Amino acid sequence: MNVLILGSGGREHTLAWKILQSPHCSSLFVGPGNAGTAAIANNVSLSLSDFNQIGDFCIKQSIEMLIVGPEAPLVDGIYDHFKTTDQLKNIKVIGPSKQGAILEGSKAYAKKFMFKNDIPTAGYAEFTKDTLEEGIAYIHNQKGPIVLKCDGLAAGKGVVILEDKDQAAQELSDMLNGKFGGAGHTVVIEDFLSGIEFSVFVLTDGKNYKILPVAKDYKRIGEGDTGLNTGGMGAVSPPPFVDKDLMTKVISRIVEPTVQGLQDDHIEYKGIIFIGLIKVNGDPYVIEYNCRLGDPETEVVLPRLDSDLLELFQSLHTDSLATHEITINPQAAATIMLVSGGYPEAYEKGKSMTIPHETPSQFFHAGTIHKGEEVVTNGGRVLAITSMHTDFRKAIEQSMKEAEKISFEGKNYRKDIGFDL
Ligand code: AMP
Ligand code: GLY
């Protein structure tokens, strides 16, 4: 089978590495990819927003499966574009329909979906420019920190949590007045939940589901979970606090009603539901839904998946997911993300990298590109180092050792991944 993966991050390098382990994969393309995917597959220059260009490439290369890495093309309807175009409709697209991707594309829609299906999540209210005054009054009646969320996609920056109510009222006004463009036309204000977060990845065909390894990521730039939010500075799988009892609750209270809710609403969904969860007094609550795999969670989730991922993806389109077993490696996996100096604020690209050829870990490239023979940095998050061990702390230690051996100007990484576990 000829496969195209869309995207260019650590998630997509990991997907490529995993898909290539399947005997069913004959050729693999990654668009646009990075220096890591170039070393194992064929990179192709594609724009994630140009569905005609992607479709033409798929026809030319007889692509049979399209795996969509990031959320934007899904929220923009790439699944529906393929389904409704004659020459593309038989290509197996891995990802939800546009209607399914709204679970990530609109926080207000996701909240309504959860309330309708009795799925535990923080209480909330939503406001627009017309109801700004009510929003400000609502903030002043809230107890605890104020959680403000832009309704639409805002590149991971659309959630602001403020202790001070006047500051929160100002932020609400700024959001509704275009601070995040159209993404902030509606703002959701949520009750603040206090607890430890984790991520559950559900593979579904819209009716049946299988649970992939559970992970925890570290979003803040600074040690001890301080400073600005990033795309993710590291991850561990499985997080030791996610025990059987908690997972039983996650499945019965959250996963099953979510899949049932999609079915009740006749929503086509052949891909991943990434559920961001928080454990509060022993009970799970949904913080957010995403319609794709997480990054850097993928860098610890897929190395622990022993099953053939291409077969699992294929089964979503042949109504046979239920007949497949998910085999999970009992070893723990940890990943540490090397980032560019200055990230997540302004940073420079194009720094030469030295990467050892031999390593006991897996290097998954994120923001890297070839410049002639050389590999240079090409993004904020540069490279993820994944290690596996029966003891997750030993896996982290090994990744730390490897992190020292990779060099590029401005290299930064958190040395406390897993500190709270
Ligand atoms: P989201 O983009 O919805 O995942 O939010 C980004 C981050 O904000 C989450 O990972 C949490 O750390 C935090 N957050 C979101 N919603 C809440 C909430 N209701 N209570 C506390 N923290 C939250
Ligand atoms: N690591 C969080 C995300 O992918 O959204």
Side-chain angles (χ1 to χ4, degrees):
M1 171 179 284
N2 296 340
V3 179
L4 170 63
I5 298 173
L6 286 184
S8 59
R11 167 181 50 211
E12 287 75 24
H13 186 190
T14 315
L15 275 164
W17 167 85
K18 183 68 187 161
I19 291 294
L20 282 170
Q21 291 169 12
S22 170
H24 307 295
C25 178
S26 20
S27 327
L28 179 64
F29 297 88
V30 186
N34 56 37
T37 60
I40 59 172
N42 307 288
N43 275 5
V44 38
S45 168
L46 291 174
S47 155
L48 299 189
S49 56
D50 189 343
F51 297 169
N52 288 325
Q53 182 198 38
I54 296 168
D56 289 347
F57 176 81
C58 288
I59 295 165
K60 205 170 98 211
Q61 295 295 338
S62 307
I63 297 295
E64 292 159 274
M65 180 181 286
L66 174 68
I67 302 169
V68 186
E71 62 279 11
L74 294 165
V75 172
D76 291 344
I78 195 165
Y79 179 96
D80 311 68
H81 176 81
F82 272 61
K83 284 297 143 230
T84 54
T85 306
D86 254 353
Q87 285 170 291
L88 303 175
K89 66 175 186 242
N90 293 323
I91 297 174
K92 297 177 173 69
V93 179
I94 306 306
S97 62
K98 186 170 181 156
Q99 189 62 32
I102 302 182
L103 277 184
E104 174 163 2
S106 164
K107 304 257 187 212
Y109 173 88
K111 292 303 269 190
K112 282 192 196 87
F113 177 89
M114 287 184 262
F115 272 80
K116 182 166 120 186
N117 292 293
D118 266 336
I119 295 167
T121 187
Y124 81 107
E126 59 179 88
F127 300 95
T128 61
K129 222 170 158 177
D130 291 340
T131 54
L132 172 61
E133 290 310 317
E134 288 158 48
I136 292 171
Y138 183 85
I139 286 172
H140 286 287
N141 281 326
Q142 288 284 98
K143 288 192 209 79
I146 310 296
V147 182
L148 299 144
K149 298 187 175 185
C150 279
D151 180 50
L153 295 183
K157 297 194 171 73
V159 175
V160 179
I161 301 178
L162 293 165
E163 297 276 347
D164 184 273
K165 290 186 177 159
D166 292 327
Q167 265 180 15
Q170 185 59 49
E171 182 65 35
L172 174 66
S173 168
D174 292 348
M175 283 179 164
L176 291 173
N177 283 301
K179 180 175 174 184
F180 294 102
H185 282 159
T186 298
V187 171
V188 166
I189 303 184
E190 279 191 14
D191 298 345
F192 181 81
L193 297 176
S194 181
I196 188 159
E197 291 176 53
F198 59 109
S199 308
V200 167
F201 299 92
V202 181
L203 181 69
T204 185
D205 58 8
K207 296 191 254 329
N208 306 283
Y209 70 86
K210 300 277 175 187
I211 311 261
L212 299 178
V214 180
K216 169 167 174 57
D217 83 333
Y218 291 82
K219 287 202 178 79
R220 303 293 197 93
I221 186 70
E223 278 159 23
D225 281 342
T226 53
L228 293 174
N229 255 335
T230 71
M233 297 294 290
V236 174
S237 174
F241 64 89
V242 183
D243 56 19
K244 240 182 159 166
D245 180 45
L246 183 59
M247 272 317 281
T248 305
K249 291 178 185 170
V250 169
I251 290 169
S252 64
R253 298 178 191 176
I254 294 165
V255 175
E256 292 193 336
T258 298
V259 175
Q260 188 61 47
L262 292 173
Q263 230 177 310
D264 293 348
D265 291 347
H266 307 288
I267 292 173
E268 269 189 72
Y269 205 117
K270 296 180 193 303
I272 302 283
I273 312 171
F274 160 2
I275 314 181
L277 294 156
I278 186 162
K279 179 183 174 188
V280 184
N281 299 325
D283 289 321
Y285 290 80
V286 178
I287 290 275
E288 64 163 350
Y289 285 115
N290 294 305
C291 61
R292 44 151 181 106
L293 282 165
D295 195 349
E297 289 95 327
T298 304
E299 289 90 309
V300 291
V301 168
L302 295 187
R304 293 192 59 231
L305 180 69
D306 283 340
S307 313
D308 183 322
L309 184 62
L310 189 46
E311 271 180 21
L312 286 169
F313 280 165
Q314 234 175 328
S315 77
L316 305 182
H317 284 265
T318 53
D319 269 338
S320 57
L321 178 62
T323 65
H324 283 75
E325 282 307 315
I326 298 270
T327 317
I328 295 177
N329 188 323
Q331 287 204 321
T335 201
I336 288 172
M337 189 62 84
L338 305 186
V339 304
S340 297
Y343 173 80
E345 296 187 281
Y347 58 85
E348 285 179 30
K349 297 183 190 177
K351 306 291 182 195
S352 316
M353 299 181 67
T354 321
I355 306 170
H357 289 295
E358 299 288 324
T359 170
S361 303
Q362 282 291 335
F363 295 156
F364 293 120
H365 288 233
T368 68
I369 194 167
H370 277 116
K371 190 173 157 199
E373 290 297 294
E374 231 187 352
V375 175
V376 302
T377 64
N378 191 42
R381 291 192 293 170
V382 174
L383 186 136
I385 305 171
T386 298
S387 307
M388 294 186 66
H389 198 282
T390 44
D391 176 352
F392 77 90
R393 289 196 172 80
K394 292 259 164 48
I396 294 167
E397 258 171 47
Q398 187 184 307
S399 286
M400 285 297 165
K401 273 193 203 143
E402 295 304 296
E404 284 167 26
K405 296 181 198 159
I406 296 175
S407 63
F408 59 89
E409 192 189 313
K411 176 183 79 173
N412 182 27
Y413 57 100
R414 269 180 67 169
K415 297 168 190 73
D416 69 339
I417 298 304
F419 77 104
D420 52 349
L421 300 179

